[in-house]
């Protein structure tokens, strides 16, 4: 980690991160369904593609075609990057289980071979689900992250929220391991008029960052973070 | 998914969905008992029948006759569609269990054979109950959905709410897998005068949608969503 | 279910139900201790007796004599109906367990033989307690209800409330299976002056119904629902 | 149960109970530590002794001498009743376990032999603790109560409160089985000036009763329920 | 228990206890970490030493030297009492487990031999942890207390608070067994300016007591309870 | 513990601690992800290095290089202390498990050999995770702490917060064992404008300390505690 910044390509958010994610760091987006985790992650990769970088999207759930569809639907011309600068890879978590140790070696290798500088794993919580005990999960997750960290690329993970605590991920683990934690959540005002989306940067190792809670909206082609506005 | 819209036939709701459900998408209605999940689902099928489409209702609980009764009771002339454009099928979840793999093949096949463009599974939570572990459930549910998604039809699932969290389904799973999530719930004002029904579109992949929370009522013959009103 | 109404004999409540329970439907009263579940159920049977109907009270807890005592204590002349139009039957849940399959056949048979048009099972939650897993309970409960439903009579069940959720029954199940759900509960005002009893009709399949929350009182001889008043 | 009233000897409370407990009924006092459950129970027996009745105190925890000490400390001349009109009996729950079936026979027998018209079991929750499953506990508790109920005496039980719900007993069971439920609890005002004791009659089978919540105090020699005052 | 008072040596608290703990009674201090449980307990023993009594401190956690250090640090001249009027004894709960029955005999014996009139066990919750089931724990705890109670000395226990309920001890047990319960806790005002320590006497068998909630502070040499002030 | 103070080097905090941590004491920092636990711990060691002391950082998660990176990134010239006055040691908790008893001996030995006067274990919660039962964990943790305490050095532990209780550590244990507890947490105002970091000293054995709740900020090179300001 050299301290250099990697822009996510989401205007207000890059500003809240004091310029972007730190190169070589590992970050996690935590949010419930419908908060736009995948949209944020795709924007992060698209920004890399625009800057001539090689990027990898590892999907633990959706098939490759769906991922391409999501990007096209945003009006992005992904075809020219497909299987060149852009690699989309679907891992079935059940096969993942069998090949768990080889993947810990192969994925970092792949990243090196493809000279990828941005990698997304969406959602990491499906990988975490594979472990039976909290202790084994923590150890394996730490090793995976440790292995990835030796690469020269910036990694963005997504995670579902804990069922009962909007500030914790599904296993209350990845937020402790990651360098940066961005929290996405719903806020329902007491008059129940509508639902707001709100974002905060909860943690960012080795960097100052904004502690503000900011509203955002998911548009057809991009995410808008309203850094000049307040949630209420 | 071509982005084309499939109207649910529920006026205000179609507007909140920017025109209707996306053709080929998979949606879920989450609500507690008495919020009208089955009524919404039947309306969605009826709208298809009116437009000359073939539709399937897969009931995991109620017997076929009861489903026809519900529709007749709304003043709909269902007999002329029965076993033609309208197929009602009851699956006993216990037999379901035995034939789980064949169903994953047969139901999609049936959908193709019947040229169905709208399918309802009511409630999907009974299917989810069959799996012992969260990991297996997630995998099997994802595969089922993946299998269905290859068909050219729009799918609407219903799910009971989690006992302790009005924003989560019974297993906190289907809302992550589905493309669209519509939440139905009760709101009791602090003066305890009466109970309101409120609806929100929490998630809609690949489409902008309303973030408003709107009151609705279940009438004898249809559902009214009051998009011009507020819950309180 | 023909849509015909069966009066419960509780003035305000019948009005909230748009005339009464639907003939042939299955309803449940959910409430904690002291909310008068048994009183409501007895009133429902008494109303039937007054109209010349045959009725059955299946007690899963109290002995037959106690049930007669409750009715007499209300000033009702039950002796002339005893073992004629009125059958009170105590089932010991432990024997119930052994004879579970025969009962599923015998009770519906008995209902037919006695030409009963109103049946109470008080409390159904004791029957639900017999099953080890949620999945088996749901299946068995659905079958029991399905079996009963083929009869021409209106059924009223009672259930205790979930320990932590005043809107759910003990097993969070029967409210999904029943056609009608009536919720009984306590409301304690913030100044702690006294305890109010409040009632709402949460669900009613195939019928419009009131969504109001209404105060009620249990008098020596009957239940009064104050439809003109508010809880606070 | 003839409907005749048995005074507890606690002025305001007897009034809230429309004259006292119903003769032959089974009642329970539910409260956390320090709410005076034992004091209420002893007062109930002392009132019986004063009226020339025979009474039994079954202690599941405290030794006999401690019970006598409590009564003497209130300034009551218990020695003249000791082992005559007043029987204090300590049951060790562990022996209880062994002799569980004999006790179900012997205690009712003892009650008859001693011509006792008032019996206290303090606390019944220790007896409930003996059973492994909720189903067995319910059955055994119902039978015990059923056995006692055949006697001509009025029974008062005490129970500890559920750890997380001030309106439920430790096992959420006895309040459903008992005819009368009196709830004792603490109320802490928001300014944290002091702790109030508050009492309510939540349930009373076959009798109207007050629904008011009333403050009370435990004095050296008796309990005062302030029926003219409010908690706040 | 003769009703005679044993001063704790904490001014305001003795007043709230109507003069002090009752001689021969068993009391418990319940509080989370940092509320000063050990400080209260040591003050109670020091008060006894000052009055010429023999006292025992049984530590289930800290080594003997640490206990002496705590006392010296308060400016108390403990050396002159060491191993004479003051006995400090560390029991390792794991050995405790092995020797559980002998200790139940030896500790009461020791108390008699040393003619101790004040005994502290700090914290009793570590002893409670040794038992696997709630039922066994209750029985064993009751017997231990029963055994101690036959001695002529006043006993003060300390217990950690339940993780989720500030009014309950770790096992929700000792507060039911003890004669006196003193609750220590934190109160954080809504403006989050600082943390207050607040104390209340929740239970006191055979004695009237204050029901007020009072602020206190832990000073270097003693505890101050501000009986003239309010928490807010 | 001589009562001498060891400055943490965090201005406001040392003042709240009446001068600093007590020499020879064991302290714990409890906080969720992103509250700066590691930053506080490193500052504590850096302060020691500046004063010519020998210090040890035991990392249960991060690799040695990362720890050095964190320090360099603060602008500290750590290289001149590396492997001289500053020892950074990574323990893999899984090996830790195997060598658990040897470590209990070796770490204290190492501390003596290196003449270290400040030791950090970050995070201690990973060590606590190794034990299966609460009872064993408590015993082992107590022994570890006991062993360390015999050394002449001041120890600072870090611990993650309990998922559901911001005032408890992950296992609700270390806060009872440690001499000093410093709580770090987030406070989100009701208008959701931004997130505040707040700090309080909850417990400090053998010393008066501030009970104030104070805001703090994590800057690039140090932590600022605003002792003159309030959280809101």
């Amino acid at each position: 980690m050299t301290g250099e910044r990697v822009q996510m390509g989401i205007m207000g958010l890059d500003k809240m991160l004091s310029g972007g994610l730190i190169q070589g760091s590992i970050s996690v987006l935590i949010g419930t369904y419908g908060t736009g985790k995948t949209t944020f992650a795709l924007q992060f990769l698209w920004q890399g593609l625009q800057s001539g970088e090689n990027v990898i999207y590892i999907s633990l759930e959706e098939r490759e075609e769906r991922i391409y569809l999501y990007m096209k639907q945003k009006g992005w011309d992904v075809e020219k990057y497909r299987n060149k600068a852009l690699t989309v890879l679907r891992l079935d978590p059940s096969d993942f289980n069998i090949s768990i140790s080889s993947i810990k070696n192969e994925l970092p290798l792949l990243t090196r071979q493809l000279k990828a500088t941005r990698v997304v794993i969406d959602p990491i919580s499906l990988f975490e689900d594979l472990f039976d005990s909290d202790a084994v999960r923590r150890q394996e997750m730490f090793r995976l992250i440790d292995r990835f960290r030796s690469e020269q690329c910036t990694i963005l993970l997504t995670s579902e929220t804990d069922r009962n605590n909007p500030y914790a991920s599904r296993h209350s683990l990845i937020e402790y391991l990651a360098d940066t934690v961005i929290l996405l959540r719903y806020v329902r005002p007491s008059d129940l008029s509508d639902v707001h989306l709100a974002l905060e940067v909860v943690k960012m190792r080795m960097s100052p960052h904004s502690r503000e809670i900011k509203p955002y909206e998911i548009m057809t082609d991009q995410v808008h973070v309203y850094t000049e506005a307040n949630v209420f």
Side-chain angles (χ1 to χ4, degrees), chain A residues 7-171:
Chain A
Q7 290 194 349
M8 293 190 68
I10 296 163
M11 194 110 59
L13 180 52
D14 282 323
K15 198 170 136 201
M16 291 171 75
L17 294 164
S18 304
L21 300 176
I22 294 180
Q23 199 184 336
S25 72
I26 293 174
S27 303
V28 64
L29 284 159
I30 300 176
T32 60
Y33 63 97
T35 50
K37 292 183 298 295
T38 297
T39 302
F40 277 83
L42 291 176
Q43 190 86 43
F44 165 73
L45 293 189
W46 183 244
Q47 177 73 10
L49 288 174
Q50 304 283 80
S51 321
E53 302 177 44
N54 291 339
V55 308
I56 304 177
Y57 183 97
I58 298 163
S59 166
L60 287 174
E61 201 150 63
E62 298 274 15
R63 285 183 298 168
E64 287 89 340
E65 269 329 298
R66 296 271 300 169
I67 304 301
Y68 285 113
L69 195 59
Y70 290 165
M71 290 191 276
K72 285 175 196 164
Q73 195 267 350
K74 288 178 192 302
W76 301 347
D77 176 18
V78 291
E79 284 305 324
K80 65 173 181 181
Y81 299 105
R82 189 166 182 158
N83 295 331
K84 289 177 209 129
L86 169 62
T87 304
V88 175
L89 208 75
R90 187 182 172 228
L91 291 177
D92 182 341
S94 58
D95 303 345
F96 209 0
N97 198 10
I98 299 163
S99 51
I100 199 164
S101 68
S102 71
I103 274 161
K104 284 191 296 186
N105 299 317
E106 284 165 27
L107 265 189
L109 186 71
L110 182 75
T111 303
R112 262 194 310 271
Q113 286 175 337
L114 295 175
K115 294 190 171 56
T117 50
R118 298 186 187 221
V119 172
V120 161
I121 306 179
D122 181 24
I124 195 68
S125 30
L126 278 198
F127 181 77
E128 293 178 299
D129 285 351
L130 296 174
F131 305 102
D132 288 337
S133 79
D134 279 356
V136 175
R137 180 181 302 116
R138 185 160 199 142
Q139 222 166 82
E140 288 295 330
M141 286 303 296
F142 185 76
R143 283 179 191 167
L144 183 76
I145 274 181
D146 205 42
R147 190 78 51 134
F148 264 111
R149 212 194 275 283
S150 59
E151 305 304 314
Q152 268 314 357
C153 86
T154 309
I155 291 170
L156 183 61
L157 314 169
T158 70
S159 174
E160 299 169 4
T161 304
D162 179 74
R163 203 190 273 228
N164 299 313
N165 183 350
Y167 302 114
S169 76
R170 194 179 172 97
H171 294 285

Side-chain angles (χ1 to χ4, degrees), chain A residues 180-198:
Chain A
T180 307
V181 179
I182 301 168
L183 210 73
L184 308 177
R185 64 178 168 127
Y186 291 115
V187 180
R188 289 173 175 87
S190 59
D191 73 352
L192 286 186
S193 55
D194 52 6
V195 178
H196 301 281
L197 286 164

